[in-house]
Amino acid sequence: MIDPDEYVIVPALLIGKRDSSVQFEVVVVGFSDNGLGFRSRDTRLGLSSVESLLRQPFECKFNVQNLNTDEIIVRIIRIEACRKDPAYLYFGAADFLKISDLDQLMFQSGIKKYEKKIHPQPMIATPLPPPTKK
């Protein structure tokens, strides 16, 4: 499983299965055995009524080169304002309705190559002493 302290950012597109005109650009920020978490800046997500999106099936297409997946169907179970990362408007969670075993295995083992680089915060402190020679 992916370490929860590491951030995974995978761009994706959610396309409505009942109405393909309903589409949202998201970034997937976490995977589990039964679903995924996402964040979005897409204002169309806020213009739709939340009730019409919840429990509806969406096809999840990842926008990453050389990442080929079978058809992945998700069901949005939660949408709320994104409080953790101010760069995004919304946070959501979705359950997998349809996913192949091969795709599930790929998420657990191969998705690390798309990790977001985390840079440490600048720190003001006294410099370390030079290394001593033995």
Side-chain angles (χ1 to χ4, degrees):
M1 211 58 203
I2 295 173
D3 184 1
D5 294 333
E6 297 174 356
Y7 292 98
V8 177
I9 302 291
V10 184
L13 183 65
L14 297 180
I15 303 167
K17 287 298 284 180
R18 295 183 184 155
D19 181 6
S20 62
S21 67
V22 179
Q23 298 183 7
F24 306 107
E25 293 178 2
V26 300
V27 290
V28 177
V29 294
F31 295 98
S32 71
D33 291 338
N34 57 356
L36 56 87
F38 64 87
R39 294 183 183 148
S40 180
R41 290 186 193 103
D42 198 329
T43 56
R44 294 176 290 185
L45 197 58
L47 296 176
S48 298
S49 69
V50 173
E51 292 80 20
S52 68
L53 298 177
L54 293 179
R55 306 275 181 224
Q56 299 301 317
F58 286 85
E59 183 176 0
C60 184
K61 292 191 175 214
F62 293 99
N63 187 15
V64 177
Q65 287 183 336
N66 302 324
L67 181 65
N68 298 320
T69 60
D70 294 332
E71 184 180 48
I72 298 173
I73 307 294
V74 298
R75 174 182 58 192
I76 297 176
I77 57 173
R78 189 170 91 199
I79 298 175
E80 61 187 45
C82 188
R83 294 184 279 285
K84 188 169 183 174
D85 189 350
Y88 295 97
L89 297 172
Y90 305 102
F91 169 79
D95 282 339
F96 290 125
L97 293 178
K98 177 184 171 189
I99 185 169
S100 72
D101 291 339
L102 187 60
D103 288 341
Q104 187 77 346
L105 181 63
M106 186 266 310
F107 290 149
Q108 293 175 359
S109 61
I111 206 71
K112 289 186 176 228
K113 60 186 171 184
Y114 303 112
E115 290 175 14
K116 178 181 177 182
K117 302 293 183 210
I118 300 173
H119 300 288
Q121 296 276 344
M123 199 166 97
I124 300 174
T126 57
L128 295 173
T132 56
K133 294 184 182 180
K134 293 183 179 181

